[in-house]
Amino acid sequence: MSDHHHASISVSGVLPGQPHIEVHTDHHGAVHVEHHGAVHKEHKEKKHGGGGHDSDSSSDEEKKKKHPDLIPIQGYESANFEKAVVLAPPPPPVATTGDAAPQKFDSMAGITEDQAKKALLKYVSDHCCFKTECAEKMDIKKMTTAGALPVDGPNAGPAPAPWTVTCNPDSEFKDHVKKVEVPHTAVVKNCFHCKGKGHVKCKNCKGDGDKSCDSCNGTGSVNVMNAEGQPEDSVCPHCTGGKVKCSTCGGDGKVKCPVCDGHKNLKQFIQMTCAFKNEKDDFVHEKSDLPDHLIKDVKGELVFEQVVPQVNPITGYSVDDINKNSARLIEKHRGSYNDKRKLKQRHQLRAVPVSEIEYHWKDVKDRYWVYGKEHKVHAPTYPQQSCCTVL
């Protein structure tokens, strides 16, 4: 039985496996800019989708609109509702000056039912003609808390350039996507779908508030058998004059606007999509006949690691093949991915144990491998291989 240790080098990215070199580069990927709409009620933000059909009072041209008119924002003239615009990053800086200052936003806590009742009791007590029984004995069924937040619009200053908007990765060396609102791009406008009314015509009853009765087909009468067993007309017990109240709108003829959720206003802003991508390359230095790809997915000992904006090649390792391929992979990353902003690199060298075992069994002479700290086995020519048949 012979033992081997394989060395691996990795430059930023995901931790490498087995004795091999890996170069990883974590990127702030392509930035996508697009316009978004959110419900706005008296400066109370509520996310909502955009688009839909116009109200019945709109012209044919207005009915074809799926999105409101855009408010032009300097530096974001290409933003639109239909398709995200990909913006190339600026040239990389000569030297980094550290991470951006962290931002902390405290959440607003709602009130309890007891606090809500106490507030109402105080309000009632301040009015001499109000009685307190209702406030004391009421059964609260639902509480909705909405916080009032200022709208960060163009009046607060010019919108920052796309690649200067703060958008930090949630985790390093892992692929993920984040979406952020571009500062100073928000505006509040009347909902384009309901024209600021908060409601639209009910489609079920076409705004009438009632529908034809299904029991009498809208005639207001049904055919019944009298005491003598003869058919005769009788007033329909399910409707009034052949009409029934619309079940969708409750007889109002109108329903809550599905675009603004009845809030009448929409918040319009530019949303930036940041894609973080981990680019990885590796090299396996392995002298046994064990396939190299098996080494990459098992655990080993971390011999060396460097995590910096720009890593340096390994130069003093005892295996010269490791030193050469470390420099090769780093140089490859240095000249690649120029369409992305490089955030950080990680360089790792791992040693993975590999044992090759030779054995005799009856007249068979063979070998197998145990590799990784998990003691995984590679035995492709194991002599007692058979198929089980289940009847």
Side-chain angles (χ1 to χ4, degrees):
M1 182 175 74
S2 59
D3 291 334
H4 304 275
H5 279 82
H6 305 273
S8 70
I9 308 174
S10 71
V11 181
S12 95
V14 181
L15 287 175
Q18 86 280 353
H20 67 294
I21 310 173
E22 294 184 354
V23 179
H24 305 248
T25 300
D26 203 17
H27 294 96
H28 188 167
V31 168
H32 300 263
V33 177
E34 54 191 351
H35 257 287
H36 269 253
V39 174
H40 188 276
K41 180 183 180 183
E42 297 177 355
H43 296 278
K44 298 176 181 178
E45 290 183 309
K46 179 180 180 182
K47 292 287 183 180
H48 226 271
H53 300 287
D54 216 337
S55 60
D56 59 300
S57 61
S58 305
S59 65
D60 292 339
E61 184 177 350
E62 290 175 326
K63 287 182 178 180
K64 296 179 181 179
K65 292 178 61 177
K66 294 183 178 180
H67 305 288
D69 296 329
L70 298 179
I71 299 298
I73 301 294
Q74 185 177 1
Y76 293 86
E77 292 81 2
S78 59
N80 62 87
F81 281 104
E82 302 297 336
K83 184 178 180 181
V85 180
V86 180
L87 304 176
V94 176
T96 58
T97 57
D99 297 333
Q103 297 180 341
K104 181 180 180 182
F105 303 96
D106 294 329
S107 60
M108 181 187 65
I111 63 173
T112 64
E113 289 189 6
D114 185 59
Q115 290 173 326
K117 283 189 175 182
K118 286 182 178 179
L120 180 60
L121 281 169
K122 184 179 183 304
Y123 170 79
V124 171
S125 64
D126 291 339
H127 294 73
C128 61
C129 297
F130 286 18
K131 296 182 178 180
T132 62
E133 182 180 1
C134 174
E136 292 171 342
K137 297 182 179 180
M138 67 169 50
D139 184 14
I140 296 178
K141 298 295 185 182
K142 181 180 179 181
M143 289 181 58
T144 302
T145 300
L149 296 173
V151 175
D152 184 13
N155 59 335
W163 285 92
T164 64
V165 176
T166 300
C167 186
N168 297 320
D170 294 332
S171 57
E172 294 182 341
F173 309 114
K174 289 185 178 180
D175 294 352
H176 63 287
V177 174
K178 290 184 68 174
K179 296 183 178 182
V180 297
E181 177 182 336
V182 177
H184 312 331
T185 63
V187 292
V188 178
K189 302 176 65 177
N190 282 345
C191 176
F192 69 94
H193 186 62
C194 65
K195 300 298 183 291
K197 299 175 183 177
H199 58 79
V200 293
K201 183 172 69 175
C202 177
K203 293 182 178 180
N204 189 39
C205 66
K206 298 181 179 180
D208 295 333
D210 51 33
K211 296 190 68 179
S212 177
C213 177
D214 293 332
S215 298
C216 65
N217 295 320
T219 62
S221 62
V222 292
N223 191 264
V224 298
M225 302 297 290
N226 59 22
E228 287 76 26
Q230 299 298 319
E232 62 179 22
D233 290 337
S234 177
V235 176
C236 179
H238 302 289
C239 67
T240 302
K243 298 288 186 179
V244 293
K245 184 184 295 185
C246 177
S247 59
T248 301
C249 65
D252 292 336
K254 54 191 178 184
V255 295
K256 183 169 62 176
C257 175
V259 175
C260 68
D261 199 29
H263 295 302
K264 302 181 181 180
N265 294 325
L266 290 173
K267 175 186 173 184
Q268 183 185 108
F269 60 96
I270 294 177
Q271 178 175 272
M272 186 174 73
T273 301
C274 305
F276 296 92
K277 178 69 174 178
N278 179 47
E279 303 290 355
K280 174 182 177 181
D281 281 291
D282 55 31
F283 167 78
V284 179
H285 177 77
E286 210 278 309
K287 293 185 176 180
S288 76
D289 292 332
L290 180 71
D292 288 351
H293 71 272
L294 298 177
I295 299 294
K296 298 180 181 182
D297 299 325
V298 295
K299 296 178 181 179
E301 294 291 340
L302 187 62
V303 177
F304 169 82
E305 181 179 49
Q306 183 184 41
V307 181
V308 291
Q310 178 65 57
V311 297
N312 299 313
I314 295 174
T315 58
Y317 194 65
S318 58
V319 180
D320 190 52
D321 203 24
I322 293 295
N323 299 328
K324 291 180 180 179
N325 282 279
S326 169
R328 176 183 63 82
L329 294 178
I330 290 176
E331 186 60 31
K332 176 184 176 182
H333 275 235
R334 182 177 288 115
S336 304
Y337 320 117
N338 294 324
D339 60 333
K340 304 177 179 66
R341 172 181 286 175
K342 298 176 182 178
L343 299 179
K344 191 173 290 187
Q345 291 187 318
R346 179 170 61 190
H347 198 181
Q348 291 180 329
L349 176 62
R350 293 189 310 119
V352 176
V354 175
S355 297
E356 182 179 303
I357 299 95
E358 298 181 1
Y359 68 93
H360 292 180
W361 179 77
K362 294 185 177 180
D363 58 346
V364 175
K365 294 182 179 181
D366 204 356
R367 60 179 178 169
Y368 67 94
W369 293 263
V370 178
Y371 61 99
K373 298 181 72 174
E374 307 95 319
H375 293 172
K376 289 193 173 183
V377 173
H378 178 63
T381 57
Y382 183 69
Q384 283 191 304
Q385 299 185 32
S386 61
C387 296
C388 298
T389 304
V390 179
L391 301 179

